[in-house]
Amino acid sequence: MRPPRLGLPAALLSLTMTTVAMAQNDPHKLDAVTVTASRSQEKVGETPQKVTIITRQQLDEQLAITGDQAQVLSNLIPSFSPSRQKLSGAGQTLRGRAPLYMVDGIPQSNPLRPGSRDGYTLDLSLVERIEVIHGATAEHGLGATGGIINFVTRRPQGTQTRQHAGAMLTSPDDFDSDGLGYKLNYRLEGLHDNWDFLAGVTYQSRGMFYDADGKTIGVDNAQGDIMDSQSHDVMVKVGYWIDDNQNVELSINRFFLESNHDYQEVPGDRDIGIPTTSRKAAGLGDPVNNDVWTSSLSYKNMNFLGNNIQARLYTQRFRARYGADTTYLQDPNIAPTGTLVEQSQNESDKVGAKFTLIRDGLLDDRLKLTTGLDLLQDETRQRLIQTDRDWVPETQFRNIAPFLQAQYKATDRITIHGGARYEYAKLNVDDFTTIYQYNATNPPASKPGVAVEGGNPSFDDTLYNAGVTFQITEAVQLFANYSEGFGMPDVGRVLRAISVPGQSVDTFLDLRPIVTDNKEAGIRVVQGPVDFEASYFRSDADLGSRLSENPATGVFEVQRQKTEIHGAEASLGWAFREGHRLGASYAHVSGKYDSDDDNHVDTRMGARDIPPDHLTLSWQARWTDRFSTYLQGTRYFSLDFNDPEKKFDGYNLFDLSLAYRLPKGQLNAGIENFLDQDYFTYFSQSATTRSDQYFKGRGRVFTIGYNLDF
């Protein structure tokens, strides 16, 4: 029932109290947390596959060290690739395949022309926690061939109107003024009668990044950079409780990040180890940016004839602008070759709906059923904005997917999970002509474009999953899982590279979808102050999708080949005394692909897919009621590939954050790479041979911040 005079539904009050209690006692103990990224609303510690929950406290510890969102994920998810420290997330995978990024269950990935910008659609200051489902899953449709990373946004806490204000300053260790950055954030949240609301705004200005030698790191003028940029995020959420069980909520978020456009890259020389740097000069064309509007309207009824019903309608307007160039995408019909300044912009507009019905307590409280329907329409094109040409024609994607999931408690110790999801997808592409010059499949790419016949290819498949958890003792649990994921190849990249005149989209087999099989088995142990989890996984795709660099053009092309990936993950935590916890995590991933189309994998996959072995050690310490510290060390192990030019040397990073609660507010400080390790990033060493992408990693960085809740 609703508490008297507070106007706060009992369900919301219970969630608030549970969350606060967990944060006060042990921020890493999350057994009571429901995984909203799981359609059947499973609880942490009861799933048949590995699930990681990144808490708000963990986010605060990481954000006191680094503002790089990809680095935060890599620090906390060992099977996630090392950060490129750029705006582009190309080559950043989860378990060797692409993750599906979501915000409150809304997909951020663009299935038709993935531009690797879907990791930057929300500021982490507005996130309550991050849910990570490891391994291929079709629970939310296409795109999660490597797993799901779901950003759960903040919601009102407590029973009174509350405000939060925060400020943060970041500097390289030489305190160069061009390297200074700062961030401001503010939130207002509260509850009034049947209404709840939250409004948040952030603004961040990022300076230049410097390596351990004090030299400017090269700006990625082509794919985009987070340094020398400004961003803001505005979020508004308004909810209304019809009664104790029914809630309607409207959410709107606008994220915008844009380069200051003040620096240009200076290519290095890979052969003699000279890194790419930057020089101060106005960039070509328009500034690189990400501009994302996301809105949703949701309805929940926790007791409709004994059922839990959830419905969400959502829209997203996604614009990702890339850098300008005078050596690429030329057309002598517009301007003399080599003089045309051109740049591209991905434009995607999504409309979708998710309907879920959960019925628990069946068969003497042993069976739980979840069913629903997902709908998605995505319209995408890649436009050349300086000359108003279409590089990728406007392509429409429609997806319909009903599903059924069951959870059956066979005995007090054994729970069986299983389900199926039917996917129907259809593409609509009108007749189009490829642009002049770009022709990645026919180097040297110097011919006029070719006419391509449009089409309406469709695909359908039924995707299955099955799993089991076996509670051997109160402290030890075994789990095993089989799940299938469904994804699309980079349709836009395939379409824009067609070189055969008269080719029909309907018969172009490279547009077939990717179905990934994921098998996993593992163990969980929670015994007093010790928790341990380990799992082994295997991920196979008969028709995978890899990006391979064409040496004649330097352009990455889509290759459809059989791929097999396997690996292991393990994590260990020990609360060895009150307020102190040691943690360790390790991940190994390796994979091969079929290079000669004989249906047998024979060649090691490269760094654009496979991350290096990754070990993280951490020590979280609460010294007093006011003072706490967090220390972490990360080792990315060396790795050899088939190409000797792409050998990865490995490197170590150590970071420290501190928090001190003042009489009013809290002071935070952090040191990223406090040993000032000099290194080249994993992507720069091993995923490319281009000298203009030979970037070093960031050197020692200081951060100090102040937060006040009132």
Side-chain angles (χ1 to χ4, degrees):
M1 297 294 294
R2 180 181 301 137
R5 292 179 295 174
L6 294 179
L8 177 65
L12 181 58
L13 180 62
S14 174
L15 174 63
T16 301
M17 293 175 65
T18 300
T19 303
V20 171
M22 288 189 298
Q24 290 176 340
N25 296 327
D26 185 351
H28 297 278
K29 188 174 182 180
L30 294 163
D31 293 346
V33 170
T34 297
V35 185
T36 60
S38 166
R39 302 304 287 272
S40 54
Q41 305 289 283
E42 295 175 296
K43 290 182 171 57
V44 172
E46 300 178 6
T47 59
Q49 65 189 120
K50 182 175 175 61
V51 173
T52 298
I53 301 295
I54 299 173
T55 67
R56 183 63 238 179
Q57 177 168 334
Q58 289 175 293
L59 288 175
D60 287 338
E61 291 166 346
Q62 295 296 325
L63 292 175
I65 296 168
T66 177
D68 179 0
Q69 299 188 179
Q71 188 63 52
V72 170
L73 295 177
S74 184
N75 287 343
L76 299 173
I77 310 171
S79 56
F80 189 85
S81 299
S83 172
R84 292 182 60 178
Q85 302 180 12
K86 303 296 181 184
L87 180 57
S88 172
Q92 292 172 180
T93 63
L94 176 60
R95 286 189 173 181
R97 299 195 189 275
L100 171 63
Y101 292 94
M102 300 194 304
V103 174
D104 292 331
I106 299 173
Q108 305 298 295
S109 303
N110 299 306
L112 299 181
R113 179 71 270 269
S116 304
R117 295 281 194 84
D118 40 4
Y120 271 94
T121 63
L122 178 73
D123 192 286
L124 290 183
S125 298
L126 300 173
V127 173
E128 182 60 40
R129 69 179 185 272
I130 302 175
E131 303 170 340
V132 183
I133 297 179
H134 299 244
T137 174
E139 285 194 88
H140 289 272
L142 80 169
T145 54
I148 289 174
I149 299 176
N150 182 40
F151 299 93
V152 180
T153 58
R154 291 181 181 269
R155 61 180 303 157
Q157 302 288 338
T159 60
Q160 297 179 343
T161 299
R162 302 172 58 189
Q163 299 181 69
H164 169 89
M168 182 177 69
L169 179 67
T170 300
S171 172
D173 61 1
D174 63 359
F175 302 101
D176 189 298
S177 60
D178 286 348
L180 296 179
Y182 64 91
K183 182 176 182 177
L184 305 172
N185 68 87
Y186 172 79
R187 289 195 318 276
L188 172 68
E189 59 187 69
L191 301 118
H192 180 70
D193 293 331
N194 291 6
W195 294 90
D196 62 69
F197 62 90
L198 183 147
V201 59
T202 70
Y203 176 81
Q204 185 166 6
S205 175
R206 301 171 181 85
M208 289 297 293
F209 294 173
Y210 295 82
D211 63 23
D213 291 331
K215 297 179 180 178
T216 56
I217 294 172
V219 173
D220 193 334
N221 292 129
Q223 296 298 314
D225 222 301
I226 55 175
M227 64 177 171
D228 186 40
S229 70
Q230 301 181 54
S231 66
H232 66 259
D233 197 340
V234 179
M235 173 183 285
V236 177
K237 301 172 74 170
V238 179
Y240 179 77
W241 289 87
I242 301 170
D243 56 35
D244 286 351
N245 295 310
Q246 298 184 79
N247 169 258
V248 178
E249 182 180 81
L250 173 67
S251 175
I252 300 174
N253 188 74
R254 197 273 176 114
F255 177 85
F256 182 78
L257 185 152
E258 185 169 78
S259 166
N260 292 329
H261 216 43
D262 292 333
Y263 285 83
Q264 289 189 2
E265 66 188 20
V266 179
D269 190 327
R270 303 181 71 91
D271 294 335
I272 57 177
I274 297 178
T276 302
T277 57
S278 299
R279 63 183 177 90
K280 199 155 190 176
L284 296 172
D286 297 325
V288 168
N289 67 26
N290 256 21
D291 189 357
V292 188
W293 283 88
T294 306
S295 62
S296 70
L297 179 65
S298 64
Y299 169 76
K300 296 180 181 178
N301 189 331
M302 292 175 281
N303 187 15
F304 177 74
L305 302 177
N307 302 299
N308 184 332
I309 294 178
Q310 302 174 23
R312 184 185 296 272
L313 305 176
Y314 63 87
T315 66
Q316 186 181 74
R317 180 185 182 274
F318 189 101
R319 301 291 183 266
R321 183 189 300 160
Y322 298 87
D325 194 280
T326 58
T327 61
Y328 201 47
L329 304 170
Q330 297 295 299
D331 188 340
N333 298 311
I334 300 175
T337 300
T339 64
L340 180 63
V341 175
E342 191 57 278
Q343 63 189 129
S344 72
Q345 177 170 289
N346 279 358
E347 301 179 353
S348 177
D349 296 291
K350 288 193 282 285
V351 179
K354 291 174 173 283
F355 304 97
T356 307
L357 184 149
I358 303 173
R359 182 61 181 252
D360 206 350
L362 299 171
L363 298 183
D364 196 24
D365 205 24
R366 289 186 175 274
L367 178 64
K368 178 180 181 181
L369 292 177
T370 304
T371 187
L373 174 69
D374 292 348
L375 306 171
L376 172 65
Q377 176 175 293
D378 183 314
E379 294 184 354
T380 293
R381 68 172 178 167
Q382 187 172 12
R383 192 164 63 90
L384 301 178
I385 62 174
Q386 299 296 336
T387 55
D388 196 22
R389 294 179 289 167
D390 276 349
W391 193 5
V392 174
E394 185 170 278
T395 306
Q396 184 185 81
F397 175 83
R398 291 181 176 177
N399 184 214
I400 301 173
F403 66 90
L404 175 65
Q405 195 73 20
Q407 182 177 320
Y408 179 67
K409 196 171 183 62
T411 70
D412 290 341
R413 295 180 180 273
I414 299 175
T415 303
I416 299 172
H417 307 249
R421 179 184 177 100
Y422 174 74
E423 291 276 357
Y424 174 79
K426 185 175 183 179
L427 285 171
N428 295 310
V429 185
D430 291 335
D431 295 348
F432 69 97
T433 300
T434 61
I435 67 168
Y436 192 99
Q437 181 89 5
Y438 183 86
N439 189 344
T441 60
N442 187 19
S446 59
K447 297 181 179 180
V450 300
V452 179
E453 181 183 337
N456 309 103
S458 62
F459 319 103
D460 69 290
D461 209 334
T462 302
L463 306 169
Y464 300 96
N465 69 85
V468 61
T469 59
F470 178 25
Q471 198 72 38
I472 299 177
T473 68
E474 185 177 348
V476 181
Q477 180 190 87
L478 299 179
F479 63 93
N481 179 68
Y482 170 82
S483 58
E484 296 179 337
F486 175 83
M488 296 291 292
D490 190 336
V491 172
R493 190 182 289 267
V494 172
L495 291 177
R496 75 188 190 187
I498 292 177
S499 60
V500 179
Q503 174 73 61
S504 170
V505 172
D506 275 327
T507 59
F508 201 50
L509 297 181
D510 275 354
L511 296 181
R512 288 176 293 173
I514 304 163
V515 177
T516 305
D517 300 333
N518 184 78
K519 306 176 185 71
E520 180 174 8
I523 183 173
R524 299 184 181 105
V525 179
V526 180
Q527 182 66 57
V530 177
D531 59 88
F532 172 75
E533 183 173 9
S535 63
Y536 170 82
F537 62 88
R538 183 184 176 99
S539 173
D540 301 334
D542 289 336
L543 189 64
S545 178
R546 289 192 323 108
L547 286 180
S548 177
E549 187 175 12
N550 186 321
T553 64
V555 174
F556 282 87
E557 304 168 5
V558 175
Q559 303 291 330
R560 306 306 307 277
Q561 296 159 329
K562 180 183 180 72
T563 58
E564 294 180 358
I565 297 173
H566 65 90
E569 298 172 324
S571 61
L572 174 66
W574 177 30
F576 63 95
R577 57 177 291 187
E578 184 178 357
H580 291 254
R581 185 178 189 275
L582 296 177
S585 59
Y586 178 80
H588 164 77
V589 183
S590 61
K592 290 185 176 182
Y593 67 93
D594 177 12
S595 65
D596 54 10
D597 295 326
D598 65 352
N599 205 35
H600 295 285
V601 296
D602 52 42
T603 305
R604 293 185 62 179
M605 297 176 70
R608 278 185 169 262
D609 299 294
I610 303 300
D613 286 12
H614 180 176
L615 172 67
T616 299
L617 303 175
S618 64
W619 176 19
Q620 183 186 53
R622 188 174 68 248
W623 300 98
T624 69
D625 290 341
R626 292 182 177 274
F627 180 59
S628 61
T629 61
Y630 178 78
L631 174 67
Q632 70 182 11
T634 302
R635 170 64 179 173
Y636 296 110
F637 291 88
S638 60
L639 188 60
D640 290 329
F641 296 98
N642 293 326
D643 186 346
E645 292 187 40
K646 295 183 177 181
K647 174 181 169 59
F648 176 58
D649 291 333
Y651 50 84
N652 303 315
L653 297 175
F654 293 91
D655 310 300
L656 173 67
S657 70
L658 307 93
Y660 185 78
R661 185 162 55 85
L662 301 168
K664 287 189 177 181
Q666 178 170 294
L667 189 66
N668 301 287
I671 308 176
E672 180 180 3
N673 188 10
F674 66 75
L675 295 184
D676 211 17
Q677 171 78 52
D678 186 25
Y679 67 100
F680 287 90
T681 65
Y682 177 62
F683 186 93
S684 295
Q685 286 191 51
S686 306
T688 179
T689 57
R690 293 173 52 174
S691 288
D692 62 345
Q693 291 186 338
Y694 198 39
F695 302 120
K696 276 194 173 182
R698 205 171 182 185
R700 186 186 295 116
V701 180
F702 296 110
T703 298
I704 188 168
Y706 175 75
N707 294 282
L708 177 65
D709 294 299
F710 56 101

